[in-house]
Amino acid sequence: MCRLIADLLLISAPLILGQIIIFIEKEEAMWKGFVLTFVLFLIQVLQTYLMGQQYHYNFNIAYNIRGALMSSIYRKSLRLSSAAKRNTTVGEIVNLMAVDSNRFFELLPEFNAIWAGAVVIGLVTWIVFQYLSYAVFAGLGVALFTFPFSVFIGTRLKALQVEQMKFKDERVKSMNEILNGMRVLKLYAWEPSFEKLIAGIRNTELSIMKRIAVYNAAGFFLFTLAPFLVAMASFITYVLWIGGTLTTQKVFVPLALFNILRVPMTFCE
């Protein structure tokens, strides 16, 4: 409920902005301007408060789930049979507790964005349609055009993370064996050999992390560029195809609404 009301308030802010623009153009009574400005301020305060409450509740749930998962994995690791221990390394168990369980912690705070994004996109599209008519669908077409690129980036990131986890498991396993056999390593002077082994695994991890960083940068670039392309396509279609005339209200209100679409579009993709 906090997220739903916060998103509705977020969408209503550009509508109040449109009323302020009308107030300035028509030079209406001064009290109306003060009321609109106060309402806009109040909307921002309430929206921020409700989003904060939503994240507060979700983070509490996420902390509890992560703690429960870590406890369950640790309890399970103590009860593994000898046969099961041969197929499960210490590195895998550590990564399950430290990394995989943390994925739930990262997911829960943004879980509401999955359904809220669809609601925001639908409402924003309907409101922009009142200003730009069918030109809004040109912008949505551009958004759909960027969808395959987002899917490709997400798929590659998932594959690279799986590959990274495999080498991380191997590195943690090797480090555990080295620490347990430190005396033997010292006696046989095997330090350089094992140092080279760990460095090789780590270099492979770093190369994968560099590729992950490149795909993250591409995703952020698309995240930043998409709302601009959507707005540009809608305005061009409205002027050249439909033959409409852009006014101050028809520019600033849709621009503010398109800017709101940035985060929901990313989560829906």
Side-chain angles (χ1 to χ4, degrees), residues 154-220:
T155 303
R156 290 301 304 153
L157 282 173
K158 181 179 179 181
L160 287 172
Q161 286 171 354
V162 171
E163 188 177 356
Q164 181 190 3
M165 291 304 300
K166 181 180 69 174
F167 287 103
K168 184 176 288 187
D169 290 342
E170 184 178 350
R171 177 171 57 83
V172 173
K173 174 186 175 183
S174 299
M175 285 299 302
N176 185 67
E177 292 174 349
I178 288 172
L179 293 174
N180 288 332
M182 185 66 72
R183 182 178 299 177
V184 177
L185 292 179
K186 292 288 185 181
L187 290 174
Y188 288 94
W190 285 344
E191 295 100 324
S193 299
F194 279 89
E195 181 182 0
K196 184 178 180 181
L197 172 67
I198 297 299
I201 299 173
R202 183 58 179 162
N203 288 333
T204 305
E205 271 190 271
L206 288 174
S207 67
I208 295 173
M209 292 172 68
K210 289 178 182 178
R211 290 156 64 189
I212 290 175
V214 170
Y215 281 109
N216 278 327
F220 180 77

Side-chain angles (χ1 to χ4, degrees), residues 6 11 13 20 38 46 62 64 73-74 93 129 142 152 154 186 194 207 248:
I11 295 173
I20 292 176
F38 177 75
L46 289 175
N64 290 332
I73 294 169
Y74 183 70
I93 295 175
F129 181 82
V142 172
F152 172 76
K186 292 288 185 181
F194 279 89
S207 67
T248 307

Side-chain angles (χ1 to χ4, degrees), residues 59-130:
F59 270 110
N60 281 336
I61 297 171
Y63 275 116
N64 290 332
I65 289 178
R66 186 177 66 175
L69 284 173
M70 292 176 66
S71 299
S72 299
I73 294 169
Y74 183 70
R75 189 182 302 112
K76 177 68 175 178
S77 67
L78 297 177
R79 298 177 179 177
L80 287 176
S81 62
S82 300
K85 287 180 180 179
R86 286 198 294 268
N87 299 322
T88 305
T89 65
V90 175
E92 290 175 348
I93 295 175
V94 171
N95 280 330
L96 282 173
M97 294 175 60
V99 180
D100 293 345
S101 62
N102 198 56
R103 299 297 184 190
F104 288 90
F105 176 79
E106 296 171 355
L107 169 66
L108 261 296
E110 300 297 342
F111 182 77
N112 284 327
I114 298 173
W115 61 264
V119 173
V120 170
I121 290 174
L123 287 175
V124 168
T125 301
W126 180 77
I127 295 171
V128 174
F129 181 82
Q130 310 305 313

Side-chain angles (χ1 to χ4, degrees), residues 28-29 34 38 40 60 71 77 91 141-143 147 177 201 221 234 247 252 260:
E28 297 178 350
F34 283 113
F38 177 75
L40 186 61
N60 281 336
S71 299
S77 67
V142 172
F147 180 74
E177 292 174 349
I201 299 173
F221 175 75
S234 298
T247 61
F252 282 101
I260 292 173

